[in-house]
Amino acid sequence: MSRPTMKHVAARAGVDTSTVSRALNERTRDMLSGDTVERVLAAAADLGYRPNALARSLRTQRSHVVGMVVPDLTNPFFPPILRGLEDVLGRHGYTLLVTNTDNHLDRERQALHSLLERQVDAMVLATSHIGFEAAEPLAVGALPVVLVNRRSIDASVPFVVPDDDAAVHEVAAHLYELGHRRVAHVAGPQDVSTGRARAEVFVAACAELGLPEPDMEVSEAFAVEPGRRATEKLLARGIDASAIFAGNDLLAIGALQALRDGGRQVPDDVSLVGYNDMPLVDMIDPPLTTVEVPKYAMGERAAELLLTWLDTGEPPDHGTEVTLPCHLVVRRSSAALT
Amino acid sequence: MSRPTMKHVAARAGVDTSTVSRALNERTRDMLSGDTVERVLAAAADLGYRPNALARSLRTQRSHVVGMVVPDLTNPFFPPILRGLEDVLGRHGYTLLVTNTDNHLDRERQALHSLLERQVDAMVLATSHIGFEAAEPLAVGALPVVLVNRRSIDASVPFVVPDDDAAVHEVAAHLYELGHRRVAHVAGPQDVSTGRARAEVFVAACAELGLPEPDMEVSEAFAVEPGRRATEKLLARGIDASAIFAGNDLLAIGALQALRDGGRQVPDDVSLVGYNDMPLVDMIDPPLTTVEVPKYAMGERAAELLLTWLDTGEPPDHGTEVTLPCHLVVRRSSAALT
DNA sequence: CTGAAAGCGCTTACAG
DNA sequence: CTGAAAGCGCTTACAG
């Protein structure tokens, strides 16, 4: 009737359930006579037996699931990271359990607790709220946790991030070399670590190049509409920048719309650079100059950190951070100042 | 040291674990004296107690998780569906557990079994392989299953699909009205239900309009490169179509590249229509005419089907299918024949 | 109103 | 080489 359990297999094979367990587990199989193993395997196959992962996890105190909390799956930035995570975790018998939070702080907390209740063995946080990992009692449970695409303010939490610093410098240098001297920044939200970091680094990079401080407008979110609104404000303020660096591609696209609506051509009147190299930005008009971020690799590296932590029981060295190189992809939205 | 259990809470509150259980569960709380409930709640709060969902599920035989198998999360078509599912399932206390399969048949099987072992209460399949749901012993376990974006060949499995039929007719009519008489189709894989259905319906629609049978080339996958290759073949065959309908937006973008490389302008020389209205296709050059599919709503409806099935224990009526309307979004990649 | 007992489906020392 | 027993952390009839 209902799904067969070990009891059913045991009955059919004429052995105890403990013997079934041993026969089914490769590591304990050789404790048994070949004959017994065969009988058990046959019985299990006949019945279409599938082990109950819940019961096993309860007993072994290992769920073999890694929880992940993500702000928004709909943002194409994240799926490749998940794929990287899944691919390496999967090879080691772990499953990824993903929860969306819509960038909402209490949904982050809620997601965290729900994952904890599900007894995840480890956690990957790609949430945006700075300090979140420290506020929550994760370290207490000694649960392996790594951040991805976010730096930690707590040195006991390792993280994997793109080398935004170098990349933003590269963007500034690129614009400088094209002859731009007045530049502006359409920044991401400043309570999000990437938004803040890119803005700060861009300001610093401009200073290093001897450029005047960039005009800046902060967007409420990493999305097209906020980018458009921020750029409109920039234009309304009468800025005279010949180049705009946007905090990410979505913001850049919003900026593109605002510029166009404001009668400015890209790149003829103003050059535009985005961030992330999301799908299709090479196909828009004009193809967007942007920064390619190693999303898949970030997922892979985060998974590797977690796996060695899980295997050895030892957290990575205090202050561990993995920084992955990005690279600038020059397309037609940025051009020499004429 | 390790995470507190009911035993710890019980000890601290000076009651039995069964009493803790009753106090923590809203439905059984009123069996207890207000005083006891308070003491237990206080003890639980003090200890930061979190119930173990695995143990509860094992005992109650309900995991409150719904499994989903998806070909590729990286395809922007799917995340909105997941969001729709998550949003309504979440409101009813269910979590979605998602697995990727890369469109690979044995990974689909594997994903299915892994979900089954995790004791999911229900399953959503967005896999592409026709007949997959019938081949697998899902009905046997009487596990609620619904397909999304795929029709079933088994009337006992309900499904939620976009009204591809009407939409493809609309595409054909649109091209016809623009004056196109020779049209071609860059089809999706024919072992994928959407790929096959769109091709068949397009051929039929053309016939109904009195158009000659469309030239057709089948792509190996719903992606840019296959679309480009298929279109190149079409061009190599010397087709004289003035309009191309592609099986989805990614194929359309591949087609766009091939056309451009072949020296044809869109829409001046050939009109192009895609399918799905994926993010940013309104920003490419030229903005793509395409069909908007109600992805989020499909997720919602699938979740609703599952929830009533789960609540009542009754499957939807034999042969239940939910068809959601799409609509054609006319942009600049399609134009009147000159 | 509350406790003691049984059991969900496994795994793993402990005997033999 | 294999079985019987205990227990993972819960919930829920069953008593009282």
Side-chain angles (χ1 to χ4, degrees):
Chain A
M1 281 301 63
S2 76
R3 313 256 291 279
T5 70
M6 272 195 171
K7 238 190 218 160
H8 301 116
V9 178
R12 178 174 252 258
V15 297
D16 186 78
T17 56
S18 57
T19 301
V20 174
S21 175
R22 291 188 189 102
L24 260 24
N25 183 332
E26 303 207 341
R27 241 189 31 264
T28 50
R29 232 209 282 294
D30 52 356
M31 294 178 166
L32 269 29
S33 77
D35 180 56
T36 307
V37 172
E38 253 173 57
R39 268 200 347 273
V40 172
L41 260 28
D46 288 353
L47 296 173
Y49 169 73
R50 295 272 148 204
N52 181 326
L54 260 34
R56 172 188 292 145
S57 296
L58 181 61
R59 174 62 233 240
T60 61
Q61 302 285 62
R62 278 234 157 193
S63 65
H64 284 272
V65 358
V66 171
M68 171 156 197
V69 8
V70 143
D72 181 14
L73 252 188
T74 267
N75 179 340
F77 184 76
F78 294 106
I81 298 179
L82 301 205
R83 296 302 299 268
L85 279 160
E86 277 180 349
D87 284 352
V88 358
L89 290 176
R91 276 198 287 278
H92 295 258
Y94 286 87
T95 306
L96 196 65
L97 177 54
V98 182
T99 19
N100 260 283
T101 64
D102 278 311
N103 268 311
H104 217 306
L105 185 57
D106 31 287
R107 292 197 55 185
E108 286 178 8
R109 260 194 269 273
Q110 200 182 307
L112 210 70
H113 290 148
S114 146
L115 292 172
L116 253 16
E117 290 183 8
R118 292 222 144 71
Q119 312 301 117
V120 296
D121 289 339
M123 197 106 70
V124 180
L125 302 181
T127 47
S128 50
H129 288 91
I130 294 175
F132 178 62
E133 74 285 1
E136 294 298 323
L138 291 173
V140 174
L143 191 77
V145 179
V146 4
L147 306 188
V148 86
N149 197 41
R150 294 224 333 78
R151 312 182 79 83
S152 175
I153 55 170
D154 175 345
S156 70
V157 182
F159 55 85
V160 179
V161 289
D163 192 349
D164 279 338
D165 205 279
V168 171
H169 272 89
E170 214 180 331
V171 168
H174 170 64
L175 295 176
Y176 185 88
E177 281 159 21
L178 289 173
H180 298 283
R181 291 301 176 262
R182 292 283 317 169
V183 299
H185 182 47
V186 173
Q190 295 300 291
D191 56 343
V192 173
S193 79
T194 50
R196 172 142 52 163
R198 285 174 204 158
E200 288 174 355
V201 174
F202 189 60
V203 168
C206 288
E208 289 161 26
L209 290 165
L211 298 179
E213 178 160 349
D215 268 301
M216 175 156 10
E217 194 65 51
V218 174
S219 324
E220 315 91 76
F222 275 123
V224 174
E225 271 314 308
R228 178 208 284 264
R229 280 196 294 272
T231 308
E232 281 166 356
K233 281 189 206 154
L234 228 38
L235 295 175
R237 289 205 331 247
I239 64 128
D240 59 348
S242 64
I244 293 179
F245 169 45
N248 83 353
D249 291 341
L250 260 8
L251 294 177
I253 285 165
L256 185 60
Q257 295 177 346
L259 288 165
R260 217 165 252 170
D261 291 350
R264 324 254 185 140
Q265 293 307 311
V266 174
D268 309 43
D269 302 322
V270 12
S271 281
L272 183 61
V273 177
Y275 209 99
N276 282 353
D277 196 29
M278 63 176 275
L280 300 199
V281 294
D282 56 327
M283 297 300 297
I284 69 173
D285 173 30
L288 189 67
T289 293
T290 186
V291 174
E292 190 191 331
V293 175
K295 305 176 255 285
Y296 185 85
M298 282 170 49
E300 288 182 310
R301 296 303 306 273
E304 286 159 9
L305 279 178
L306 241 31
L307 283 171
T308 68
W309 192 341
L310 250 10
D311 283 353
T312 64
E314 289 297 311
D317 295 334
H318 201 77
T320 289
E321 38 181 286
V322 176
T323 305
L324 264 27
C326 303
H327 80 273
L328 182 68
V329 184
V330 177
R331 288 195 276 248
R332 300 218 317 275
S333 70
S334 58
L337 187 65
T338 48
Chain B
M1 281 305 62
S2 77
R3 312 257 290 279
T5 71
M6 272 196 172
K7 238 190 219 160
H8 301 116
V9 179
R12 179 173 251 259
V15 296
D16 187 79
T17 56
S18 57
T19 301
V20 173
S21 176
R22 291 185 189 104
L24 261 25
N25 184 332
E26 303 207 342
R27 239 189 33 264
T28 48
R29 231 208 284 293
D30 52 357
M31 293 179 169
L32 268 30
S33 77
D35 180 57
T36 307
V37 171
E38 252 172 57
R39 268 198 348 271
V40 171
L41 260 29
D46 288 352
L47 296 172
Y49 170 74
R50 296 272 147 204
N52 181 327
L54 260 36
R56 171 189 291 147
S57 295
L58 181 60
R59 175 61 234 240
T60 61
Q61 301 286 61
R62 279 232 155 194
S63 65
H64 284 272
V65 359
V66 171
M68 171 155 198
V69 9
V70 142
D72 181 14
L73 251 188
T74 266
N75 179 340
F77 184 76
F78 295 107
I81 298 179
L82 300 206
R83 297 302 299 268
L85 279 159
E86 277 181 347
D87 284 353
V88 358
L89 289 176
R91 276 198 286 279
H92 295 259
Y94 286 87
T95 306
L96 196 66
L97 178 53
V98 183
T99 19
N100 260 281
T101 64
D102 278 311
N103 268 311
H104 217 306
L105 185 58
D106 30 288
R107 292 198 53 185
E108 286 178 7
R109 260 194 270 273
Q110 199 182 307
L112 210 71
H113 290 148
S114 146
L115 292 173
L116 253 17
E117 291 183 7
R118 291 222 145 68
Q119 312 300 117
V120 296
D121 289 337
M123 197 105 70
V124 180
L125 302 179
T127 47
S128 49
H129 288 91
I130 294 174
F132 178 61
E133 75 285 0
E136 294 298 323
L138 290 175
V140 174
L143 190 76
V145 178
V146 4
L147 306 186
V148 86
N149 198 41
R150 293 227 329 77
R151 311 181 77 83
S152 175
I153 56 170
D154 175 346
S156 71
V157 182
F159 55 84
V160 178
V161 289
D163 192 349
D164 278 338
D165 205 279
V168 172
H169 271 88
E170 214 180 330
V171 169
H174 169 65
L175 295 175
Y176 185 87
E177 282 160 20
L178 289 173
H180 297 283
R181 292 300 175 265
R182 292 284 317 168
V183 298
H185 181 47
V186 173
Q190 296 299 290
D191 56 343
V192 173
S193 78
T194 50
R196 172 142 52 165
R198 285 174 204 160
E200 288 174 356
V201 174
F202 189 60
V203 168
C206 288
E208 289 161 26
L209 290 164
L211 298 178
E213 179 159 350
D215 268 301
M216 174 153 15
E217 195 64 51
V218 173
S219 324
E220 316 93 75
F222 275 123
V224 174
E225 270 314 305
R228 178 209 285 264
R229 282 194 295 271
T231 309
E232 280 166 357
K233 283 190 205 153
L234 227 39
L235 296 175
R237 290 205 328 248
I239 64 127
D240 60 349
S242 63
I244 293 180
F245 169 46
N248 83 354
D249 291 340
L250 261 7
L251 294 177
I253 286 166
L256 184 60
Q257 295 176 345
L259 288 166
R260 218 166 252 172
D261 292 349
R264 323 254 185 141
Q265 294 307 311
V266 174
D268 308 43
D269 301 323
V270 13
S271 281
L272 182 61
V273 177
Y275 209 99
N276 280 354
D277 195 29
M278 65 178 271
L280 299 198
V281 294
D282 56 328
M283 297 299 298
I284 68 174
D285 175 30
L288 189 67
T289 294
T290 186
V291 174
E292 190 191 329
V293 176
K295 305 176 255 287
Y296 185 85
M298 282 170 49
E300 289 182 309
R301 296 303 306 273
E304 286 159 9
L305 279 178
L306 241 30
L307 283 172
T308 68
W309 192 341
L310 249 11
D311 282 353
T312 64
E314 289 296 312
D317 295 335
H318 201 77
T320 288
E321 40 181 285
V322 176
T323 307
L324 263 28
C326 301
H327 80 271
L328 181 68
V329 183
V330 178
R331 289 196 275 248
R332 301 218 317 274
S333 70
S334 58
L337 187 66
T338 49

